[in-house]
């Protein structure tokens, strides 16, 4: 009861990833949008919703002058908001374009790295090797989605191998390679 409690890290994410982007690369890309960073915005990016004319108290203004100054400040304020909205839209387009480019690169990497030979993925090649060596493949050994296993088996059958499923209570639990 006097022992110090230890709580392990709760992260479920892999530490090393093929799709991760280096922090330096992200920072370099973010430097393209200096106006998006709060530290680069005047007043920390906070825009007052009402034009302030309190700084114009150097000399007493008449009612007309005060009204004109306030109207001018409000016009400038609205124009600044329009400019910000325009800049936000332009930045959103550039960000979407960059994200699409990164997704395209990820898909290209995935398809290149997973293709081993003859259009067979690395996981599919492992299943085929196990079928050829042991003569069977247990579904319990598969750690990805079942649909992907079905596509893999279809690719193996397309190569000319005859694979049949062994069922247990209407569920396929093992795939067996028939003798050729």
């Amino acid at each position: 009861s006097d022992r110090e409690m230890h709580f392990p890290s709760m992260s479920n994410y892999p530490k090393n990833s093929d799709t991760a982007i280096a922090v330096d690369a992200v920072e370099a890309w973010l430097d393209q949008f200096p106006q998006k960073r709060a530290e680069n915005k005047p007043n920390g990016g906070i825009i007052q919703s009402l034009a302030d004319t309190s700084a114009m108290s150097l000399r007493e203004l008449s009612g007309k002058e005060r009204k004109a100054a306030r109207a001018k400040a409000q016009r400038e304020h609205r124009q600044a908001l329009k400019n910000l909205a325009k800049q936000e839209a332009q930045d959103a387009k550039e960000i979407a374009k960059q994200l699409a480019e990164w997704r395209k690169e990820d898909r290209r990497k995935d398809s290149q790295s997973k293709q081993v030979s003859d259009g067979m993925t690395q996981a599919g090649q492992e299943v085929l090797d196990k079928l050829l060596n042991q003569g069977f493949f247990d579904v319990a050994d598969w750690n990805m989605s079942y649909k992907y296993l079905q596509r893999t088996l279809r690719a193996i059958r397309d190569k000319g191998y005859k694979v049949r499923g062994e069922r247990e209570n209407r569920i396929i639990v093992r795939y067996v390679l028939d003798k050729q």
Side-chain angles (χ1 to χ4, degrees):
S1 65
D2 292 336
R3 281 198 217 157
E4 186 175 327
M5 294 187 72
H6 173 70
F7 297 99
S9 173
M10 293 296 292
S11 175
N12 293 330
Y13 298 102
K15 303 300 180 234
N16 297 326
S17 171
D18 299 340
T19 59
I21 300 171
V23 174
D24 296 336
V26 172
E27 285 293 325
W29 184 71
L30 286 174
D31 286 341
Q32 294 178 13
F33 307 100
Q35 69 277 7
K36 299 287 272 182
R37 294 181 180 254
E39 64 266 19
N40 294 339
K41 293 181 181 180
N43 198 16
I46 299 169
I47 299 173
Q48 296 178 354
S49 61
L50 183 63
D52 185 19
T53 59
S54 62
M56 303 180 81
S57 61
L58 299 174
R59 65 178 179 85
E60 195 63 35
L61 296 176
S62 68
K64 275 187 177 178
E65 288 175 325
R66 184 175 292 121
K67 202 177 227 181
R70 180 166 280 156
K72 180 183 175 197
Q74 287 176 340
R75 276 194 308 275
E76 289 173 354
H77 181 71
R78 281 193 295 273
Q79 186 61 42
L81 288 176
K82 283 181 187 176
N83 291 345
L84 274 176
K86 198 181 296 183
Q87 185 67 47
E88 288 286 326
Q90 187 177 3
D91 291 348
K93 283 182 187 176
E94 290 183 38
I95 290 169
K97 182 176 156 185
Q98 184 66 43
L99 287 173
E101 189 176 308
W102 283 340
R103 285 187 194 112
K104 189 175 178 182
E105 287 175 12
D106 283 348
R107 276 189 239 122
R108 200 176 316 125
K109 278 185 203 173
D110 287 347
S111 66
Q112 288 172 354
S113 66
K114 289 182 181 177
Q115 297 285 330
V116 175
S117 62
D118 302 331
M120 180 71 73
T121 63
Q122 187 174 359
Q125 190 64 45
E126 291 170 7
V127 171
L128 178 59
D129 292 342
K130 206 167 201 181
L131 281 168
L132 292 173
N133 293 337
Q134 297 177 351
F136 65 90
F137 179 79
D138 288 323
V139 177
D141 295 340
W142 187 253
N143 59 358
M144 293 183 241
S145 76
Y146 187 70
K147 285 186 177 189
Y148 186 49
L149 176 61
Q150 289 174 327
R151 278 191 229 131
T152 300
L153 289 165
R154 190 176 315 124
I156 291 172
R157 288 178 179 125
D158 289 346
K159 284 185 153 195
Y161 295 101
K162 293 185 179 174
V163 180
R164 64 179 166 79
E166 287 184 355
R167 296 178 182 270
E168 189 173 296
N169 295 334
R170 295 181 14 205
I171 297 173
I172 296 177
V173 293
R174 176 184 281 189
Y175 287 96
V176 178
L177 181 67
D178 285 342
K179 298 296 178 202
Q180 304 271 341

